[in-house]
Amino acid sequence: MGDLWTGFVVALQPINLLWGLAGVTLGTAVGVLPGIGPALTVALLLPVTYGLDPTAALIMFAGIYYGAMYGGSTTSILLNTPGESATIVTALDGYQMARNGRAGAALATAAIGSFVAGTLATLALSVTAPLMVRLALAFGSAEYFALMVLAFVTVTTVLGGSGARLAGWVSLMLGLVLGSVGIDGLSGQARFTFGIPYLLDGIDPVIVAIGLFAVGETLWVVSRGPDYDHVLPVHGSLWMTREEWRRSWRPWLRGTAIGFPIGALPAGGAELPTLMSYAIEKRLSSRPEEFGHGAIEAVAGPEAANNASAAGTLVPLLTLGLPTSATAAVLLAAFQQFGLQPGPLLFEHEPKLVWGVIASLYVGNAMLLVLNLPLVGLWVKLLSIPRPWLYGGILVVASLGAFSVHRSAGDLLLVAAIGGVGFMLRHINAPVAPVMIGVILGPAAEQHLRRALAISQGDWSVFLAHPLSATLLAVAAVIVLVGLRRPRAVQSNP
Amino acid sequence: MLLRGTLVLALIATTTASANAQLIITAPAAPGGGWDQTARVLQRVLAEIEPATSVQVDNIPGAAGTIGLARFVQSERGNPHALLVTGLVMVSGVITNASPVSLSDATPIARLTGETEVIVVPSASPHQTLTDLLDAFKRDPGGVSWGGGSAGGTDDLLVRLLAEQVGLPASRVNYIAFSGGGAALAAVLSGQLTAAVSGYGEFAGQIAAGQLRPLAISAAARVPGINAPTLREAGVALDLANWRAIVAPPGLSDAERDALIARVTRMAGSTAWQQALTLNGWDDLFLPGADFRQFLLAEQARVEAVLRRLAAADTAPSARFTMAVTPTTMPNATVAVFGLLAAALVVSRRRNRAPIAVAASNSRSAAILGVTLLVQPLLMLTAGFIIASTITFVVTANTWRGVRPARAMVARDAAIGVTFAAIIYLVFTSGLGVVLP
């Protein structure tokens, strides 16, 4: 704790506060802009911070990272256009809340949930970092595969309806096929690329989400005619009602508890915890039928989870020098630019810097909350734009987002094509969300499976020989059995 | 608030406004990686020693840099103000991705930097020296698992070349690819992998802390500050550097080429460049002009040879694993299941009920919008972002209304669309430095 105190002394210096403020402001702006993620921003800023004091620069970069996590939910909720993969799940119910006239509540629960999760997770980071490292190292490929299976089972049974829902499984398989396009990471072999060089790098989940959600939805709405589109005007309290507070606080805490440890795993990432949080909230909810139609828990939980996982990502980065997300990789490059080597010795050699950065995360979280809540009112006004122009704007923003992810016209074509697929899926009344699960979880699960088998030289018993993976698989099996015995009464269609 | 953020970014990001000469450096990778860093350091150093030149970095990521290479060779032909950052990974990428364009199509300028690779084992490993590790490897090639970066990358190449040097076929290596050397770190620290290979920088922290033992580095000579023998000292006749270089487009005159080489040579001798090398932990492997061309040909030959032997072995049937999961197992299985389920869905739907009928005029609206979206990428490239976006905006607004559009209405939509697109365009290009067409 003494170390953390030193950190606060560093972080609260006026000049560092100023850099922190610049970072979180930039990060929020960047998170709101589609296609411009925190990784790109930090990379663009790297050369210009060359002359800065390392502590100040890193405080600013960490602020950008957190700020982008806050801002990213805004386009998901208002425009159904996720800016990055961590906020894809937010779009599912967040956009529905906006259509129900509760955009303010969705934005507020996202901002407050992010604050709660960010603060708790940063606290966890400063207390449990050494412990988390040991957990991280206990996770090998077999354990990751088991975790992926568990995630698959929980998420698919919840999002796709129970096993009998054929259309949900078709969607999931479509996602898995889309996910396996491109160069296979383990062998370097091209799959489903049909000789098109553009497809070699695979299909970005963000592109799939923009196509399915923003474009698919717009096509669908247009095809139903102007009378179909009922959007309720904003009503009730601008922020959250007492009822919405009551429904939000538990998901915030659960989202944090899921997001932080998974974010701290070297191959955890931010997408997996958001999906798992969504699934768990739906299971625990007393009204699962609201999920997919604007349940506030489905925004509160995943938003808390993605912010907590952002803090979790800093555990392997600071203690092992191991970047586990694109932004963490750029932050690592930032450390190296200043001649610092993240890793086990960083805490010993540069305690002031490390604890200064950690303390500035607390400060940054508070700044972000103050910055974001007043913005809610402004954002909500966006929805009062006449519908034709709002949809026109959504498509322009969606194509801009798709284009600027990789600056490729191929992505635009893909967004249009996937938008057509999304239209077809809606037409046959199939759920869209399972496609996203397939695209996000499929490739990771396959890689871990094959890596584990390569290390064991083809021996399948590794998955049961390791206690941790055996436990995870057993839990997954129990969930499947329970699901088979007691099919859900209410079928969902997110 | 968004505006304020943009302003801050604009203030920091925009470099000197007025400049006479332009130079575009293409980094064929996403921001953050080694090629991008090289491009941005070049940008900074060139701006320092040639104040009259404005230097831009353009990222074209994809497929081990071969997408950037192809676009560079095609669209910059004959342009003496364009450079492309490249390196060893692109040499192998061209082969594994069967790229129609290779590095021989570009004009070699100079090799700039290199990073030495290091072979490490966890400190608890029984292997004390490279000889110990190689003995175990020769006894049971499959039992020694090697981890490192992506397939076909420098780490992979080094282990395959090493195997061939000790008399084993490259295909017998149990190489496990991770998304980068850093990702393999956790697996080797916890002892799941026998050994790991990556750029020295990725493991430097753990080596200094005594958690990893370096057995050998791949550089041709000892590197100051690294306490490990070279492969040659350890008895293996092999050296390999993860080198990075710059090339110019094809179709330059000799004078233009020599002028570029002279500029880069002056840059490489500057103190700013030397400082940047130290900061980033890059070795100075400067090699300009004709010598670089020779080096490039030699690297292409040796990389191609080992990859060809590897590919030939991969196609041979493997009798060892009965339930092996190959790269094609999963995709084929998912396609098969998808096909079955989709067929089942069609059958069950046909039996139950017809899909909801859609009014003809509305489905025509949706079709018009769909076609617009498919044409949009083409428009974006030819007519530019603002025009393409305005058209999308107008079509969406009018198809949504679903009535025959009145001229005044279209004009008003267009005005709003143009304003909206123009604001976005300005924010992205001059504020964020993101180039939109």
Side-chain angles (χ1 to χ4, degrees), chain B residues 23-28 35 38-43 46 69 72 82-88 90 103 106-113 243-249 257 260-265 267-268 273 285-289 292-293 296:
Chain B
L23 185 70
I24 293 185
I25 305 177
T26 304
W35 286 340
T38 308
R40 290 182 194 280
V41 169
L42 275 173
Q43 178 186 33
L46 278 172
L69 174 69
F72 181 75
L83 291 171
L84 172 82
V85 179
T86 181
L88 177 63
M90 194 185 281
L103 266 178
T107 308
I109 298 297
R111 185 180 69 189
L112 293 175
T113 65
W243 53 268
R244 296 188 189 113
I246 46 173
V247 294
R257 186 198 60 203
L260 272 176
I261 293 177
R263 273 170 87 182
V264 171
T265 307
M267 192 279 315
W273 175 251
L285 290 188
F286 185 67
L287 185 74
F292 170 50
R293 179 189 291 276
L296 189 57

Side-chain angles (χ1 to χ4, degrees), chain A residues 85-179:
Chain A
S85 52
T87 55
I88 288 174
V89 175
T90 311
L92 291 178
D93 278 65
Y95 180 67
Q96 294 303 325
M97 282 184 74
R99 289 173 61 99
N100 295 343
R102 296 304 301 149
L107 289 168
T109 198
I112 301 170
S114 295
F115 171 74
V116 170
T119 309
L120 288 179
T122 312
L123 188 69
L125 168 70
S126 37
V127 178
T128 65
L131 192 80
M132 291 308 299
V133 169
R134 240 176 296 150
L135 173 73
L137 289 184
F139 258 74
S141 292
E143 285 79 10
Y144 279 119
F145 176 68
L147 179 68
M148 294 289 163
V149 170
L150 179 63
F152 248 118
V153 168
T154 44
V155 177
T156 319
T157 50
V158 166
L159 272 186
S162 61
R165 295 268 294 159
L166 192 56
W169 286 99
V170 172
S171 297
L172 177 68
M173 285 297 154
L174 181 68
L176 288 175
V177 173
L178 287 177

Side-chain angles (χ1 to χ4, degrees), chain B residues 18-396:
Chain B
S18 66
N20 311 327
Q22 273 237 334
L23 185 70
I24 293 185
I25 305 177
T26 304
W35 286 340
D36 176 65
Q37 280 174 34
T38 308
R40 290 182 194 280
V41 169
L42 275 173
Q43 178 186 33
R44 188 166 51 74
V45 175
L46 278 172
E48 215 165 286
I49 60 174
E50 297 180 17
T53 317
S54 107
V55 188
Q56 271 196 337
V57 173
D58 191 12
N59 293 86
I60 306 179
T66 52
I67 290 181
L69 174 69
R71 211 179 295 175
F72 181 75
V73 165
Q74 281 152 19
S75 62
E76 302 291 350
R77 169 174 292 277
N79 179 359
H81 303 291
L83 291 171
L84 172 82
V85 179
T86 181
L88 177 63
V89 178
M90 194 185 281
V91 172
S92 70
V94 163
I95 301 166
T96 43
N97 299 336
S99 162
V101 178
S102 94
L103 266 178
S104 316
D105 295 318
T107 308
I109 298 297
R111 185 180 69 189
L112 293 175
T113 65
E115 275 179 281
T116 182
E117 297 268 302
V118 63
I119 300 173
V120 296
V121 292
S123 52
S125 161
H127 308 301
Q128 297 298 327
T129 63
L130 185 70
T131 320
D132 294 347
L133 178 66
L134 290 179
D135 284 344
F137 180 46
K138 281 184 260 186
R139 269 197 309 275
D140 177 14
V144 172
S145 49
W146 305 80
S150 57
T154 314
D155 311 341
D156 188 8
L157 285 175
L158 179 65
V159 184
R160 309 278 179 190
L161 289 167
L162 185 64
E164 295 199 331
Q165 279 297 325
V166 300
L168 286 167
S171 55
R172 292 293 298 278
V173 177
N174 188 2
Y175 181 81
I176 293 143
F178 290 79
S179 53
L185 184 63
V188 71
L189 276 179
S190 60
Q192 298 166 59
L193 295 171
T194 318
V197 182
S198 193
Y200 190 84
E202 309 228 40
F203 295 153
Q206 274 66 32
I207 292 173
Q211 294 172 346
L212 289 177
R213 178 163 51 242
L215 297 184
I217 57 170
S218 70
R222 284 255 181 177
V223 176
I226 298 181
N227 183 23
T230 64
L231 282 172
R232 286 184 191 280
E233 287 173 337
V236 183
L238 175 69
D239 66 79
L240 182 77
N242 185 13
W243 53 268
R244 296 188 189 113
I246 46 173
V247 294
L252 296 193
S253 73
D254 286 358
E256 286 170 336
R257 186 198 60 203
D258 293 344
L260 272 176
I261 293 177
R263 273 170 87 182
V264 171
T265 307
R266 198 167 62 241
M267 192 279 315
S270 69
T271 38
W273 175 251
Q274 292 299 328
Q275 279 171 358
L277 290 182
T278 327
L279 257 180
N280 288 288
W282 295 335
D283 300 333
D284 191 352
L285 290 188
F286 185 67
L287 185 74
D291 293 337
F292 170 50
R293 179 189 291 276
Q294 286 304 318
F295 168 80
L296 189 57
L297 288 173
E299 286 289 272
Q300 281 175 320
R302 98 166 148 165
V303 170
E304 187 164 350
V306 68
L307 288 177
R308 292 237 182 283
R309 284 194 288 273
L310 199 59
D314 272 351
T315 50
S318 122
R320 263 192 76 200
F321 308 138
T322 41
M323 268 182 71
V325 181
T326 66
T328 47
T329 313
M330 289 292 175
N332 289 342
T334 47
V335 169
V337 176
F338 172 67
L340 276 177
L341 289 177
L345 185 69
V346 170
V347 171
S348 74
R349 281 291 153 87
R350 193 160 288 168
R351 228 182 283 154
N352 290 340
R353 59 195 157 96
I356 325 117
V358 180
S361 71
N362 288 333
S363 60
R364 203 178 56 224
S365 304
I368 293 173
L369 185 55
V371 171
T372 313
L373 286 175
L374 285 174
V375 178
Q376 194 199 18
L378 198 68
L379 269 175
M380 189 88 109
L381 292 183
T382 51
F385 173 78
I386 297 184
I387 295 178
S389 298
T390 307
I391 293 176
T392 310
F393 186 88
V394 173
V395 172
T396 315

Side-chain angles (χ1 to χ4, degrees), chain A residues 40 43 48 50 137 140 183 191-192 201 223-224 320 322 333 337 344 389 399-400 407 428 446 449 451 454-455 457, chain B residues 31 37 58 62-63 97 142-143 174 176-177 182 190 192 206 279 320 327 330 335 349 358 362 376 413 416 435:
Chain A
L40 184 66
V48 272
Y50 182 66
L137 289 184
I183 290 182
R191 308 190 295 191
F192 297 141
D201 277 340
S223 80
R224 313 312 294 168
L320 291 174
L322 191 61
Q337 178 182 307
W389 295 337
S399 55
L400 172 76
R407 304 223 7 255
I428 63 170
E446 189 207 347
L449 169 69
R451 238 176 239 148
I455 293 176
Q457 297 190 66
Chain B
Q37 280 174 34
D58 191 12
N97 299 336
N174 188 2
I176 293 143
S190 60
Q192 298 166 59
Q206 274 66 32
L279 257 180
R320 263 192 76 200
M330 289 292 175
V335 169
R349 281 291 153 87
V358 180
N362 288 333
Q376 194 199 18
D413 291 345
I416 290 174
V435 189

